[in-house]
Amino acid sequence: MRQPYWTNGPSTLYLGDAREVLAELPAGSVDCIVTSPPYYGLRDYGVEGQYGQEPTLAAYIETLQKTFCEARRVLADDGTLWLNLGDSYAANSDGWARGADYNPHQPVVRPRSRLSVPPKNLLGMPWRVAFALQEDGWILRNAIIWHKPNAMPQSVLDRVSTRHEMIFLMVKQQRYWFDLDAIREPHSEARSSTRRTRCGGKPGGNVRTSRHLDGKYQDDRDAFCGKHYGNAMLPTGRRHAVAHPNGRNPGDVWSISTRPLKAAHFAAFPIDIPLRAIAAGCRPAGTVCDPFAGAATTALAARQLDRSFIGIEISEPFCDLARARIVAAAAESSPEEPEG
């Protein structure tokens, strides 16, 4: 087992290839994985062995399949995987090279995706990867749309601009840890009024309803939930016509603004995403892993929620950036605590 690049209490960073480091971690040692691998053909991080610059679509998918095969082994049986992936287009008509007005962080030579599909095609990469992982045994539970209200404008005239990315929730088995109450949203005033009426004028009280489970009727929603799921998502059915006293299910469209990071890592997702994923998908005092740690946004969310963190990053400068952000966050939350 390699030595950590840096560790301090609940946070640990490893420098290296995600698949290689995951292969060295003990089986079942993390409770939740929240990650966003490099997207296909969009960024050149200038690191040997970087992901996202594979020559073909199939090669990129195979790389992620092998990586998440190791991730599946490391994840606890009742753990959850939250995978954020953005899409990209096949190369434009001038070949595989970028145009003069492209972002300088984009690769000079793009992967030869046009060998697989004609130019200007949306590759559908998130779904290609999701289906490949599904074939490997992952259970695909949700396809969440991350809507970006402040998405960057795009200078395109023959299609509408892209304002979303995908977040897939995947698990290893049918029963897993999921705390829906932790991410419920407040009811609107109109919805709250409806809830009071349907609950017999007792806002905040237990909702009692009848349901059928394995040939038996259960009358108390809280008892059912506690017995079978812990603080987990309730089964579906007509009983959801009654508003839950703790708030509404946030649904599978998350409207979350991007947050520019004035540092070397230019593709960090907003902390709101890992905060929500960890709150719902990681048991209290559990361990969160991000195999593509980048600027350690997932680590900051894990620390806020009192979870341990294991991060893997192939770029040493990004490891240094991640360490600096974790230390700074720790200093802000506990000014008298030594940085370590």
Side-chain angles (χ1 to χ4, degrees):
M1 180 65 192
R2 75 185 68 200
Q3 293 299 309
Y5 183 79
W6 174 80
T7 185
N8 181 17
S11 300
T12 300
L13 291 174
Y14 289 98
L15 174 63
D17 177 271
R19 177 160 57 95
E20 294 176 359
V21 177
L22 285 168
E24 299 174 6
L25 296 179
S29 57
V30 303
D31 301 289
C32 180
I33 298 174
V34 183
T35 193
S36 182
Y39 302 166
Y40 181 63
L42 292 185
R43 295 287 185 269
D44 183 357
Y45 294 93
V47 181
E48 184 178 355
Q50 65 180 320
Y51 291 28
Q53 291 301 305
E54 290 80 0
T56 64
L57 307 182
Y60 175 74
I61 294 170
E62 183 181 4
T63 297
L64 291 187
Q65 277 185 288
K66 292 179 178 178
T67 301
F68 285 102
C69 179
E70 290 295 341
R72 190 169 184 267
R73 181 189 61 82
V74 170
L75 185 65
D77 288 342
D78 63 348
T80 59
L81 163 66
W82 304 76
L83 175 61
N84 168 225
L85 277 176
D87 216 337
S88 56
Y89 282 82
N92 54 20
S93 58
D94 65 359
W96 302 309
R98 67 186 183 193
D101 297 329
Y102 275 77
N103 186 317
H105 291 303
Q106 294 180 341
V108 175
V109 178
R110 291 172 177 268
R112 300 188 177 190
S113 55
R114 65 175 295 186
L115 296 177
S116 302
V117 294
K120 301 189 75 170
N121 260 292
L122 183 64
L123 299 179
M125 188 59 76
W127 281 104
R128 291 175 186 257
V129 172
F131 290 148
L133 298 187
Q134 195 177 51
E135 291 177 359
D136 286 345
W138 288 94
I139 298 174
L140 178 57
R141 292 294 291 139
N142 268 126
I144 299 165
I145 296 174
W146 168 24
H147 165 237
K148 304 177 183 180
N150 63 338
M152 291 289 291
Q154 297 178 327
S155 57
V156 291
L157 300 177
D158 59 352
R159 64 173 174 85
V160 296
S161 58
T162 302
R163 297 183 180 177
H164 80 281
E165 291 183 15
M166 300 304 302
I167 303 172
F168 296 111
L169 168 59
M170 296 185 167
V171 297
K172 296 173 61 174
Q173 61 184 26
Q174 294 184 33
R175 297 297 176 92
Y176 53 93
W177 175 268
F178 193 88
D179 186 357
L180 181 58
D181 285 346
I183 59 172
R184 289 186 185 275
E185 298 175 343
H187 295 294
S188 65
E189 186 60 32
R191 180 65 171 166
S192 297
S193 176
T194 301
R195 178 181 62 79
R196 286 193 293 270
T197 300
R198 290 174 174 171
C199 294
K202 298 179 180 179
N206 290 339
V207 178
R208 301 184 67 84
T209 184
S210 295
R211 66 188 64 79
H212 189 269
L213 176 70
D214 297 333
K216 297 180 180 179
Y217 281 92
Q218 302 286 339
D219 292 324
D220 188 279
R221 172 177 297 194
D222 297 330
F224 173 85
C225 186
K227 178 179 179 182
H228 293 276
Y229 290 90
N231 293 323
M233 183 175 63
L234 293 168
T236 58
R238 61 183 176 79
R239 55 196 167 280
H240 280 288
V242 179
H244 194 284
N246 294 335
R248 65 184 181 91
N249 188 314
D252 59 2
V253 178
W254 296 358
S255 187
I256 299 175
S257 297
T258 60
R259 297 187 182 186
L261 177 62
K262 296 180 179 179
H265 193 276
F266 36 78
F269 57 22
I271 194 171
D272 311 73
I273 290 176
L275 279 174
R276 183 173 290 190
I278 294 168
C282 183
R283 62 179 62 255
T287 299
V288 179
C289 177
D290 187 347
F292 303 93
T297 303
T298 299
L300 303 185
R303 185 176 183 88
Q304 285 190 32
L305 298 174
D306 296 322
R307 269 73 164 183
S308 298
F309 175 77
I310 297 174
I312 305 169
E313 175 54 50
I314 197 172
S315 167
E316 187 168 359
F318 287 168
C319 273
D320 292 335
L321 173 60
R323 175 188 180 280
R325 295 189 76 204
I326 296 171
V327 169
E332 290 179 5
S333 60
S334 303
E336 298 180 359
E337 179 181 334
E339 293 185 355

